[in-house]
Amino acid sequence: MIRFKTLMIGLLMSMSLMSTVAHSQDSTSSQQIKPKVIFFDVNETLLDLGNVGKSVSEALGGRDELVPYWFTTMLHYSLVGNVTGEYNSFAEIGIASLEMIANQQNIKLTPEEARTAVLTPFRDLAPHKDVVEGLKKLRAMGYTMITLTNSSDAGIAAQLKNSNLAQYFDGSLTVQNLKTFKPDLKVYEWAQKEMNVAPEDAMLIAAHAWDLAGADKAGWKTAFIMRPGKALYPLAAKPDLIGRDLIEIANQLEASAK
C-alpha cells in the first residue's frame, strides 16, 4: 500500500511538472512578435527558381538530378569564399559551380554556355503564387520591408523589377557591400545598422534554414517558409514563426501583434 501511494505521488508530481512546462511553452508561443523591420531573403523565398533549374538541367544534358547538387555547390563555395577571404559575386560562383559539375560528369559545356545558363534565367524569375498577397498584407500592416540577399546590387534590382515586386519594398541590401555572404553574422549586423534597428526589432523571412540560423544568432526574430523540398536544421534554434507560405506568415504576425 505504501509503495502504491509512493507511485501515485510520483505520478502526480510528474503530471504537475509537465503541466508547468506546457504552460511555459504556451506562454512563450503567445508572446507578441512585432518587428520594426522585416528583412526578406529573395531566391526561393520570394522568387520561384524553376526557370533556373530548367536552364541548368538543360546545360547539364537534361540531368535534373544534378540541379540540387549545383545549388548546394554554389552555396558551398560562397562559404569557402567567406573563410578564405576571396570574394566573387554569387552569379560568378553559380557559373563556376556549373562548369565544375559539368567537368565532374564529363558533360561538354563551354564557359559562355555556363554563363548564359545561369545569368539569363536568374534575372527574370516569377514570384511564388502566394508572395504578392503576402507582401500586400504585410505592407498594409505598416511594416518596413527590406530585401537582404546574397545577390549583387544590379542582380536584385533586375529581379525585383522583372518580377514586379519592387513596389512592395522600402529598399534592398546586398552582400556586395560587405563582400561576404550570408549566413556570416557580419551581414545581419551590418543590415540592422543600415536600417537603424535593434536586433530584437528585426526579423528575417526565408526558406533556407542556414539563413535563419545566422539571423537567429544575430539576435533577430525569424520566420521559415516551408517551400517544397525545404526543411529546418535540427541542430539550430526553432524559428519564431513557421508557415507553408508567406500568407500564413503574415497571418501569424497579424495575430501575434494583437
Side-chain angles (χ1 to χ4, degrees):
M1 186 70 177
I2 294 176
R3 185 179 179 185
F4 176 74
K5 287 183 178 180
T6 302
L7 287 172
M8 287 299 296
I9 292 171
L11 179 60
L12 289 172
M13 290 178 66
S14 297
M15 291 176 66
S16 176
L17 178 60
M18 290 173 64
S19 176
T20 301
V21 171
H23 177 73
S24 175
Q25 290 177 337
D26 288 342
S27 297
T28 300
S29 63
S30 63
Q31 288 179 353
Q32 187 181 65
I33 301 174
K34 191 174 182 181
K36 293 180 179 179
V37 177
I38 300 179
F39 295 89
F40 293 79
D41 176 56
V42 176
N43 293 319
E44 289 193 297
T45 299
L46 301 179
L47 300 181
D48 187 346
L49 293 188
N51 287 343
V52 177
K54 181 179 179 181
S55 179
V56 168
S57 175
E58 290 175 352
L60 294 173
R63 298 278 300 277
D64 291 347
E65 76 278 10
L66 293 177
V67 175
Y69 178 43
W70 164 75
F71 194 73
T72 55
T73 299
M74 180 167 55
L75 293 175
H76 177 89
Y77 280 95
S78 71
L79 297 182
V80 169
N82 280 7
V83 173
T84 61
E86 184 69 29
Y87 175 79
N88 294 283
S89 73
F90 207 48
E92 290 172 325
I93 296 173
I95 295 165
S97 297
L98 183 55
E99 291 184 73
M100 185 178 183
I101 292 171
N103 287 333
Q104 290 173 345
Q105 301 295 324
N106 295 314
I107 297 171
K108 292 183 179 180
L109 184 70
T110 68
E112 293 75 17
E113 289 171 336
R115 187 173 186 82
T116 300
V118 173
L119 289 186
T120 301
F122 242 125
R123 296 291 178 91
D124 193 13
L125 300 174
H128 289 288
K129 294 181 179 179
D130 57 281
V131 166
V132 171
E133 182 178 343
L135 290 176
K136 285 182 177 179
K137 188 173 184 65
L138 290 170
R139 171 62 73 189
M141 292 162 64
Y143 287 111
T144 297
M145 306 201 299
I146 305 292
T147 61
L148 178 62
T149 79
N150 278 341
S151 300
S152 65
D153 291 343
I156 187 60
Q159 285 184 320
L160 293 180
K161 178 182 177 182
N162 293 334
S163 63
N164 200 30
L165 294 183
Q167 60 187 304
Y168 302 110
F169 294 98
D170 300 290
S172 295
L173 297 176
T174 77
V175 300
Q176 180 179 337
N177 296 273
L178 294 179
K179 299 190 183 305
T180 187
F181 295 98
K182 295 184 296 178
D184 190 327
L185 295 187
K186 288 185 289 188
V187 176
Y188 309 98
E189 292 165 356
W190 166 77
Q192 71 193 35
K193 288 178 182 176
E194 286 292 302
M195 296 307 301
N196 193 29
V197 64
E200 61 270 21
D201 291 325
M203 168 174 272
L204 176 70
I205 296 179
H208 300 122
W210 52 265
D211 202 352
L212 296 174
D216 175 74
K217 286 297 183 182
W220 292 16
K221 300 291 190 298
T222 58
F224 178 59
I225 299 182
M226 297 184 294
R227 296 293 181 203
K230 300 302 176 186
L232 290 171
Y233 180 48
L235 298 183
K238 184 179 179 181
D240 296 284
L241 302 175
I242 300 174
R244 290 171 297 182
D245 56 34
L246 187 57
I247 298 171
E248 285 195 359
I249 296 297
N251 288 340
Q252 291 176 42
L253 271 172
E254 184 177 41
S256 173
K258 292 179 179 179

